[in-house]
Each structure stands twice: as structure tokens, then as C-alpha cells.
Amino acid sequence: MSAIMIRSIILYMLIIFAVRLMGKRQLGELQPSELVITILVSNIATLPLEDTDIPLLLGITPILALVCCEVLVSCIILKLPFLRRLTSGSPKIIISNGVIDRKALRELRFSVDDLMTALRGQQVFDLAEVQFAIVETTGSISVMKKQSEDTPTRRDLGISPENADPPQVIVSDGRILSETLENMGLDKKIIPDSTEDIFIMTADEQGNTFTAGKGAAK
Amino acid sequence: MTRMWISIFIILTLTGMSAVTGHSIDTSCRELIALTEELADSAKNGDTRQVEELTEELAAEWEEFRRGAEAVVRKNKLADVDCMIARLKRFTDTEADAAELSAMIKNISNYSEPC
């Protein structure tokens, strides 16, 4: 029993290390090769847990080897575009100039329902609004709306742009984040003397603050 | 880039470890097989004293090998050979038939008979 417990902890730490080594990618954004590695790693990790006859080293070695190979291959394909196309494929245009490419949809085995679901995921509920759509190598869909349907920008409306960074948290759960204050070039004086009752306090570069108390937002 | 260097380091370490453990296990197995062949010859010649001595030596060598091999070889495979060695020791103690003893030694060197 204790052997399984120790094995579980070691494998847990190993998997976290492996995922961190592979880099920051969300599950839905995995490239085909990364998806294969993820499935393989999760399968291999269960083997030494289920069967204590298998030495832990026989579970650790393939996991590390697969993940390291994936990292190396992803570094190599940055330099070699043809290899990238080979391992990850290339994006496919499914709507161009407002016209659906049925051949591309068939190639991707995309049904009309799949297309509509993907468009709705991009906040597009009317096909007539779409100018251009492309299926990325990760399987996600990117959509460009027709200009007549698109949201106007500040430039379109003739409003002068305000180029300012978003407000940042300067007090979290009563604790002053001095480093953030310093980075933003703000004085500590903008924070009240007692921060015990403050849940969150944010500030922008102009010194405008917002405070949410532990009771209610002010 | 840091990830790439870590990966290269891990791959090289794993390759090195595989080569070292592979070579070490191969050498140990060859030594054990040589010992069982010697044991088989002694059994064929009917030299019971030599057989007893070699069986003791084989059991000791196997025990030492098994402790190291447990980290890289499936335990059930090691347990099979473990049982065969234990049976061999019992066999030589009871002065059994030489032909049967030879067959058992052959099985150990070939790893062909489950326990």
C-alpha cells in the first residue's frame, strides 16, 4: 500500500514536471503531436501504478523520453516549416469571401452542424456575417466578420484612443503588493492606513483606484 | 531555449543510463549462464560435491544480481528464476537423479520453465 502511495506521489510530480516542460498550452490548443504525447504519457503513467511488478524506472523513462522528444521536435520544426506541415498539418480555409468551401469541409470531415457550432463559439450566429473562416491546425476555428457586420473601432467613430494599461491589484486580501506599486510608479499614500478590511484594491497608472472591501465593494 | 537544453540533458542522461544498465545486466547474465553451464557439466560428470558448491555460488550470484535488477526488470520475471534457483538448491540437497538435475539446469539457463 505504501509502495503505491509513494509511486503515486513520484508519478504525480513527474507528470507535473513533464507538462511544465512541454510548455503553456491549453488542452484545446494542442497540436496533433502534443495530443498524442499527452495520451501516451497518461497511459504509461498508470502502468507502474496498477502493477507493482513493473519497476518505477520503467514508467519514468518512457514518459521523460517522449516529453523530451516532443520538446526537441517542436524546437526543430520552428526552423523547418516543411516538418511543421508534416507533423501539425496546415490551416484550411473553409469560408472565403463569404462562400463556404464544401470541398474543404468534406476533407476536414466537418458537418454543417460542426461548422455552425464552431461559428457560434466565435459569437457568430448568422452565416451571412462571415467574410472569412479558417480551421487552425489545433482544430479551432478563426472567423473574420464582414466589415459591414463588424464592431466599429474608436478610429471609425473618431474618438481619441486612450493607450493605458489595465488597472492592477495593489492590495490583495489586506496585503499590500509593494512590488506592483513600485512597477507602476505609484505612491503608497494612495492606500489607506489600515488595509485589514480591504479584500481587493486596484489602481491604474493615473492613480485611480477601486476598492472591494471584505464586506461589500466601495 | 531553457526547455530545449533541459530536454537534451534528460535525453542524454536516459541514453547513458540505458547503455550502462543494459551493459551491466548483459554482463551479469552472461556470467550467470556461464556458471549454469559449468554446473551442467559437473552434473553430467556426476561430481556431486562440485555441483553443490556451484549451486551455492549460483544462488549467491543470482541473489546479488536480483537486488540490482529489481530496479529495471519486472519483478514477476525475476520471481520465476528465483523459484527455479530455490528448487535447484533443494534438488541438489536431496541428491536427485542426474538427468533430471541436468534438465533443470538447462531450464534455468534458457529461462523456459515457469515456477
Side-chain angles (χ1 to χ4, degrees):
Chain A
M1 192 72 177
S2 59
I4 292 175
M5 190 69 191
I6 292 166
R7 277 169 177 242
S8 306
I9 293 166
I10 292 171
L11 282 166
Y12 168 73
M13 289 191 289
L14 178 77
I15 297 293
I16 288 180
F17 171 74
V19 172
R20 288 281 294 114
L21 194 65
M22 277 172 72
K24 282 182 183 171
R25 289 241 194 205
Q26 289 183 3
L27 205 61
E29 293 173 356
L30 293 177
Q31 293 289 346
S33 61
E34 290 167 336
L35 183 68
V36 170
I37 296 293
T38 309
I39 293 168
L40 274 175
V41 164
S42 60
N43 266 335
I44 294 167
T46 58
L47 296 178
L49 286 182
E50 284 174 352
D51 187 355
T52 45
D53 276 344
I54 299 173
L56 193 58
L57 210 57
L58 293 191
I60 292 173
T61 307
I63 291 174
L64 284 177
L66 283 170
V67 170
C68 292
C69 281
E70 169 57 26
V71 173
L72 290 180
V73 168
S74 62
C75 288
I76 292 167
I77 62 175
L78 281 178
K79 309 269 179 200
L80 304 168
F82 77 93
L83 205 60
R84 186 162 57 234
R85 277 197 299 278
L86 202 71
T87 57
S88 306
S90 50
K92 283 262 188 304
I93 297 165
I94 51 170
I95 299 177
S96 180
N97 209 15
V99 179
I100 299 172
D101 185 343
R102 290 178 61 200
K103 197 179 159 202
L105 283 181
R106 264 201 304 276
E107 267 180 38
L108 291 166
R109 296 189 300 281
F110 241 59
S111 67
V112 176
D113 287 338
D114 293 334
L115 177 65
M116 291 310 291
T117 308
L119 289 176
R120 283 195 294 271
Q122 297 289 318
Q123 302 300 311
V124 177
F125 292 87
D126 186 356
L127 256 177
E129 290 178 10
V130 182
Q131 169 72 27
F132 183 85
I134 188 165
V135 177
E136 307 292 356
T137 54
T138 56
S140 62
I141 189 165
S142 303
V143 179
M144 192 182 101
K145 282 185 183 178
K146 284 179 181 162
Q147 286 199 356
S148 56
E149 306 291 339
D150 215 353
T151 316
T153 61
R154 280 174 175 266
R155 193 190 292 162
D156 295 333
L157 299 172
I159 302 170
S160 61
E162 287 172 19
N163 294 322
D165 288 344
Q168 292 191 39
V169 177
I170 53 170
V171 177
S172 170
D173 210 5
R175 191 168 54 89
I176 300 168
L177 306 177
S178 308
E179 202 178 326
T180 312
L181 269 175
E182 211 172 284
N183 290 341
M184 294 176 78
L186 294 173
D187 201 325
K188 261 192 178 179
K189 284 175 187 166
I190 62 166
I191 300 171
D193 292 336
S194 171
T195 55
E196 276 177 21
D197 295 333
I198 299 175
F199 180 53
I200 293 174
M201 184 174 178
T202 61
D204 59 19
E205 283 170 341
Q206 281 75 45
N208 301 316
T209 61
F210 168 81
T211 309
K214 287 182 178 168
K218 285 178 198 168
Chain B
M1 263 328 214
T2 315
R3 285 191 167 90
M4 196 182 83
W5 289 118
I6 292 173
S7 301
I8 291 172
F9 172 74
I10 292 172
I11 293 264
L12 289 178
T13 309
L14 290 178
T15 311
M17 274 171 63
S18 305
V20 169
T21 51
H23 179 261
S24 154
I25 285 181
D26 189 52
T27 311
S28 303
C29 284
R30 278 174 202 278
E31 281 171 10
L32 286 168
I33 287 169
L35 205 58
T36 52
E37 279 168 1
E38 205 180 324
L39 187 57
D41 286 343
S42 302
K44 210 181 281 175
N45 297 336
D47 189 349
T48 45
R49 204 169 148 231
Q50 176 88 1
V51 168
E52 272 175 36
E53 278 174 15
L54 286 172
T55 308
E56 286 293 326
E57 198 182 332
L58 180 68
E61 290 262 332
W62 167 253
E63 187 56 32
E64 197 186 328
F65 168 76
R66 193 180 59 84
R67 260 184 265 133
E70 264 178 2
V72 285
V73 182
R74 283 183 72 111
K75 275 184 196 156
N76 51 353
K77 284 190 178 178
L78 294 174
D80 289 346
V81 184
D82 230 6
C83 280
M84 283 196 261
I85 300 273
R87 278 176 66 194
L88 180 70
K89 272 184 78 178
R90 281 203 304 272
F91 217 73
T92 50
D93 287 347
T94 53
E95 292 180 357
D97 181 31
E100 211 172 331
L101 182 63
S102 296
M104 185 171 276
I105 293 164
K106 202 176 164 193
N107 281 337
I108 291 174
S109 62
N110 293 335
Y111 176 56
S112 58
E113 187 183 285
C115 195

